[in-house]
Amino acid sequence: MVFEQFATGGCQSYLVGCETSRAAVLIDPELSAIDRYLGLAAQQGVQIRYVIDTHTHADHFSAGRELGKALSAPLVMHRSSPAPHADMRLDDGDMLIVGQLRLKALHTPGHTQDSMCLVMEDRVFTGDTLLIGGTGRTDLPTGDPHALYESLFDKVLKLPPQTLVYPAHEYKGRSHSTIGAEMADNPRLQKTDRAAFVEMMQQLNLAAPTHLTEALRTNMTGGKSVAQLLAEAAAKTPFMSLAELNERIGGNSRDMVILDIREREAFEAGHIAGARHLPRGQLELRVNTEFPDPTVRIVTCCELGKISTLAAATLRELGFRRAVALDGGMQSWREAGYPLEM
């Protein structure tokens, strides 16, 4: 069996393949690690047949949709997943066949309504249902401590004690556990009485995950994250360095316009000499009157260099093919000691 485990922060992803057929599945991929998955699959000589999300993640951005499109492989989720872009939906007990491998889905709601575990030979991929030394939280959207109790004690913990446990998250550097070890040592599993377990889960008082609403929005709808939008804009936009722009100021730059897209208060507090002001929110509405010549060279700038990247990409899509973004933004300009005009 081909088996590779990826750690991206606390997120755990798994590439599992059949040595004979070289077919594989990728479980719980994270958006920032797409190139790592593709590189290792190529290195291992396997073809990813299915991309699987064990549940709707609330603490990171799933790469399921992007990888599914790139690989022409179906994105697999549980039947109750809200994601409209899931290509294949599994019911409790359904099985995926990948070469000589068999992966059986167990519907294990509790952390989320669509949570499922994947049982394969000597191991189980538990998503966020069962963690090493813990369990998934139940206070996020569609979470239910009663359902989690049933999923754990009536399903997952009835697997053989020697079954290897591979969760979707692990923050202490451990690679895996076993069902037997978790039953013996996991403090949350010592609450074997339903009422005691539910009370414990309701009193955890955990902090909300970073990017909670954005992660849920993108993972539930297939929409894009802000980081994706910025990365896509940066991929099709050239940049100008701070030093290059500073050298060009005051020179023969009649065909170059510095366009400051911050709000007026920020612009008036200090801007690059000769810059014109056009807030980002008005760009599309005023660009034709402000710039009748589409061949003009436009250098966009904002505070941190992110909104200006989006603006430059928009200008290029509108036909201003010489639009570029200032690398670093006004914060970097000030820190470098370049002059400002009030």
Side-chain angles (χ1 to χ4, degrees):
M1 178 175 63
V2 177
F3 182 77
E4 296 287 347
Q5 185 171 4
F6 303 82
T8 309
C11 302
Q12 301 291 320
S13 307
Y14 304 93
L15 178 71
V16 188
C18 169
E19 287 188 336
T20 303
S21 67
R22 312 310 293 179
V25 299
L26 183 60
I27 301 172
D28 286 329
E30 200 270 339
L31 189 61
S32 67
I34 285 180
D35 290 340
R36 290 177 60 197
Y37 304 135
L38 296 177
L40 191 57
Q43 180 182 332
Q44 292 285 359
V46 297
Q47 183 171 358
I48 298 174
R49 300 291 190 185
Y50 299 104
V51 181
I52 307 173
D53 268 335
T54 56
H55 63 288
T56 301
H57 299 282
D59 54 356
H60 70 266
F61 302 105
S62 168
R65 186 183 187 190
E66 296 300 318
L67 281 168
K69 291 190 296 183
L71 298 168
S72 297
L75 171 61
V76 181
M77 300 187 74
H78 184 260
R79 178 178 56 82
S80 60
S81 167
H85 51 280
D87 303 298
M88 180 184 294
R89 297 174 182 271
L90 301 181
D91 264 306
D92 186 58
D94 286 352
M95 186 170 63
L96 292 177
I97 297 178
V98 185
Q100 296 179 357
L101 303 180
R102 304 290 190 271
L103 290 90
K104 178 183 176 181
L106 293 182
H107 185 209
T108 53
H111 174 61
T112 62
Q113 174 57 33
D114 63 340
S115 289
M116 65 178 179
C117 297
L118 299 167
V119 181
M120 189 196 75
E121 296 181 0
D122 62 343
R123 62 197 65 195
V124 56
F125 301 95
T126 56
D128 281 4
T129 299
L130 176 62
L131 307 178
I132 300 175
T135 66
R137 60 196 296 169
T138 59
D139 59 337
L140 299 180
T142 76
D144 182 344
H146 292 275
L148 182 61
Y149 176 87
E150 295 170 1
S151 294
L152 288 168
F153 289 97
D154 295 344
K155 286 189 175 181
V156 178
L157 298 182
K158 289 189 175 180
L159 294 171
Q162 67 272 22
T163 304
L164 302 175
V165 173
Y166 289 96
H169 290 90
E170 165 54 32
Y171 299 95
K172 297 182 179 179
R174 298 165 292 190
S175 63
H176 66 281
S177 181
T178 65
I179 293 294
E182 293 309 304
M183 292 179 68
D185 302 326
N186 190 321
R188 294 191 189 176
L189 301 184
Q190 307 315 305
K191 303 287 187 179
T192 57
D193 176 74
R194 176 195 286 265
F197 180 87
V198 169
E199 181 182 9
M200 172 189 64
M201 296 303 298
Q202 290 175 335
Q203 295 180 357
L204 291 179
N205 194 28
L206 300 173
T210 306
H211 308 303
L212 169 64
T213 54
E214 186 182 12
L216 285 175
R217 173 182 61 78
T218 58
N219 295 335
M220 290 176 66
T221 66
K224 294 180 180 179
S225 67
V226 173
Q228 280 180 284
L229 290 176
L230 287 169
E232 291 173 3
K236 55 187 178 184
T237 302
F239 292 84
M240 182 174 288
S241 70
L242 301 173
E244 179 73 17
L245 180 58
N246 186 56
E247 290 178 3
R248 289 176 176 270
I249 294 174
N252 185 19
S253 57
R254 288 176 296 176
D255 70 334
M256 186 184 76
V257 176
I258 303 169
L259 185 63
D260 193 317
I261 61 170
R262 297 175 297 165
E263 295 302 314
R264 178 164 297 280
E265 182 178 350
F267 176 79
E268 292 179 347
H271 53 267
I272 299 172
R276 292 171 61 174
H277 180 234
L278 178 57
R280 175 64 186 91
Q282 300 178 29
L283 181 65
E284 289 86 350
L285 298 177
R286 291 173 52 187
V287 68
N288 292 324
T289 54
E290 296 285 339
F291 302 106
D293 180 6
T295 66
V296 67
R297 189 177 193 182
I298 302 174
V299 182
T300 61
C301 62
C302 67
E303 186 62 24
L304 301 175
K306 296 182 178 180
I307 305 302
S308 56
T309 302
L310 294 171
T314 297
L315 286 169
R316 286 187 159 249
E317 290 177 356
L318 291 172
F320 295 88
R321 301 299 185 187
R322 300 180 68 196
V324 301
L326 180 64
D327 182 23
M330 293 303 299
Q331 178 174 291
S332 297
W333 182 271
R334 291 191 299 271
E335 291 173 351
Y338 291 124
L340 291 172
E341 186 176 84
M342 301 299 181

